Amino acid sequence: MIQINTLTYSYPTSPRPALQDVTLHVAAGEFVLIAGESGSGKSTLLRCLNGLVPHFSGGTIGGTVRVNGLDPIALGVTALSRHVGFVLQTPEAQAVLDTVEADIAFGLENAAIPPAEMAARVDEVMALLGLTALRDRQLSTLSGGERQRVAIASALALRPQILALDEPTSQLDPQAAADLLDALVQLNKELGLTIVLVEHRLERVLPYVTRVVWMENGRLLLDAPPREAMSIAPQAPPLQQLGRRLGWSPLPLTVREARKRFGDELGDLRSEVRRTLQARRTLMKVEGVTFGYDKPLLRDVCFTVGEGEAVAVLGSNGSGKSTLLRCLIGLLKVEAGVVEINGRLTTTLETADICREAAYLPQN
Ligand code: ADP
Ligand code: MG
């Protein structure tokens, strides 16, 4: 489906090539993850698939690209749009019209698809991506995850064989990101769609992809199935890092798999971690913290933090993470409950006093 041979490319403004000697062959039905540090060439490589590079970017290009037998360098973006559906990081940048249905139909109108077929295709992709109930909604009223699904539906309405996505989940909260990736897995499995995905949340996609391609400084550093890739990649998610240190082989791709194969070792580790944590002095104690703006938000939040611990507060957008932190350092006064930092009750202290013990960095 994709044949890239010794591809080298430089942007007109930069002396250093953004892609160097990249060779990559992708079969129909594969689900390829492109990973690598920021600036390593992932987006540039993706843009070569539909001719955005070099047709919109200019610059000098060498080597060959074939996508479904077509040459994007010679043919350009319009000719490739029926073969490669493109989805970007920001849904706002891709929407053209203001309702869901109109936006999805827009690309089909441009491609001069007859009205009857157009209606059928729009219905089909809306059903596929769970958008049917949102058909008449204004795009501006949709959540980020819903807007990304509209962007994917718009791309799929042209019935491309390849879907190329550039960090489509980076603006989404964890749940919306997980839902979007589930939708991609379904498209890959059920329609046999070839998917090329740039994504930095590796742990989410590793169980589903057939290959991982790692970019570094414009070069293809490695190209391997996910387990092999994670055993040698410059970075890996925590689970695979743990597996690498403990010499697990083959590396597990999910926690469930790790439990099944290495459950005893994990049990030992867990009790060791628990012993270490229990031995720590409690530095922060949060008990029954309750707070709301116009309606209740934090309800009876309780936890302790030991000396030297690093604690991640997780939750979907609007679940109260930032509010909790603001309560802890006294920027918001709790309605009920207590916060103790280093043995001192802080609920009655001023923020300035609390911040002598606990430094606070806000989101913006
Ligand atoms: P990634 O997607 O992996 O973050 P990019 O493909 O965006 O990497 O960038 C690869 C290299 O090309 C970087 O050195 C970047 O600075 C450069 N680059 C990207 N876009 C442009 C552009 N429009 N003009 C000039 N240089 C660019
Ligand atoms: Mg990029």
Side-chain angles (χ1 to χ4, degrees):
M1 189 60 79
I2 299 171
Q3 283 187 296
I4 297 174
N5 287 314
T6 59
L7 180 67
T8 295
Y9 170 74
S10 300
Y11 285 98
T13 49
S14 167
R16 208 174 57 93
L19 296 175
Q20 285 192 69
D21 198 25
V22 173
T23 293
L24 175 68
H25 296 184
V26 177
E30 281 202 78
F31 190 161
V32 178
L33 168 68
I34 301 184
E37 276 181 31
S38 156
S40 59
K42 305 182 296 297
S43 298
T44 307
L45 181 60
L46 214 58
R47 287 187 215 124
C48 289
L49 294 179
N50 71 345
L52 274 172
V53 168
H55 285 267
F56 276 73
S57 56
T60 48
I61 195 158
T64 58
V65 181
R66 291 290 177 278
V67 173
N68 202 20
L70 302 170
D71 178 359
I73 302 172
L75 298 171
V77 182
T78 313
L80 266 294
S81 64
R82 289 186 184 217
H83 301 271
V84 185
F86 225 73
V87 177
L88 307 167
Q89 205 163 348
T90 43
E92 294 77 15
Q94 313 169 61
V96 184
L97 297 177
D98 53 3
T99 69
V100 171
E101 187 171 12
D103 195 62
I104 296 174
F106 179 77
L108 296 174
E109 278 168 18
N110 273 358
I113 305 287
E117 180 171 0
M118 195 161 89
R121 285 203 198 181
V122 170
D123 284 348
E124 180 187 284
V125 292
M126 282 195 304
L128 204 58
L129 286 146
L131 293 167
T132 310
L134 303 176
R135 161 192 299 263
D136 298 317
R137 283 274 290 277
Q138 296 284 312
L139 288 178
S140 58
T141 66
L142 300 183
S143 73
E146 289 164 343
R147 294 181 87 172
Q148 277 302 48
R149 295 216 305 275
V150 173
I152 295 177
S154 304
L156 287 185
L158 285 161
R159 303 222 172 119
Q161 296 90 337
I162 298 172
L163 192 58
L165 306 102
D166 197 350
E167 305 203 29
T169 67
S170 60
Q171 312 239 326
L172 305 182
D173 68 51
Q175 188 56 50
D179 291 348
L180 191 79
L181 291 169
D182 283 346
L184 293 181
V185 170
Q186 194 196 347
L187 293 171
N188 175 249
K189 285 214 173 112
E190 290 176 14
L191 303 185
L193 196 68
T194 307
I195 300 183
V196 183
L197 171 70
V198 177
E199 169 69 55
H200 61 267
R201 305 181 214 212
L202 301 184
E203 62 275 26
R204 285 263 169 69
V205 290
L206 284 175
Y208 307 113
V209 299
T210 53
R211 269 158 77 190
V212 177
V213 168
W214 202 283
M215 299 290 297
E216 195 175 84
N217 290 326
R219 291 181 183 277
L220 206 154
L221 183 72
L222 78 95
D223 174 1
R227 281 175 221 283
E228 286 88 284
M230 286 306 105
S231 64
I232 48 177
Q235 287 144 37
L239 180 67
Q240 286 80 31
Q241 276 181 39
L242 180 68
R244 267 155 74 157
R245 288 196 201 170
L246 296 177
W248 291 346
S249 177
L251 276 182
L253 293 180
T254 62
V255 173
R256 180 195 292 244
E257 204 185 311
R259 279 217 183 100
K260 211 161 126 195
R261 300 183 51 110
F262 306 101
D264 298 345
E265 264 181 85
L266 279 174
D268 294 348
L269 272 175
R270 197 176 302 128
S271 27
E272 199 177 311
V273 169
R274 196 171 292 141
R275 271 197 304 278
T276 317
L277 290 182
Q278 275 165 356
R280 288 172 194 238
R281 188 168 72 91
T282 299
L283 211 53
M284 176 183 276
K285 197 157 130 195
V286 177
E287 250 174 32
V289 162
T290 299
F291 177 86
Y293 295 97
D294 34 15
K295 52 183 193 296
L297 178 61
L298 303 176
R299 269 167 289 199
D300 196 22
V301 176
C302 303
F303 63 97
T304 61
V305 181
E307 194 164 26
E309 271 194 87
V311 178
V313 180
L314 304 182
S316 56
N317 295 347
S319 61
K321 304 179 294 296
S322 299
T323 303
L324 175 63
L325 289 196
R326 288 202 287 265
C327 285
L328 298 184
I329 56 122
L331 276 176
L332 296 171
K333 296 292 167 217
V334 299
E335 287 156 20
V338 290
V339 179
E340 212 181 280
I341 296 178
N342 209 5
R344 278 209 305 176
L345 272 180
T346 64
T347 336
T348 54
L349 296 180
E350 294 299 319
T351 298
D353 289 323
I354 299 172
C355 283
R356 277 185 249 282
E357 297 283 356
Y360 169 66
L361 280 173
Q363 185 167 5
N364 301 312

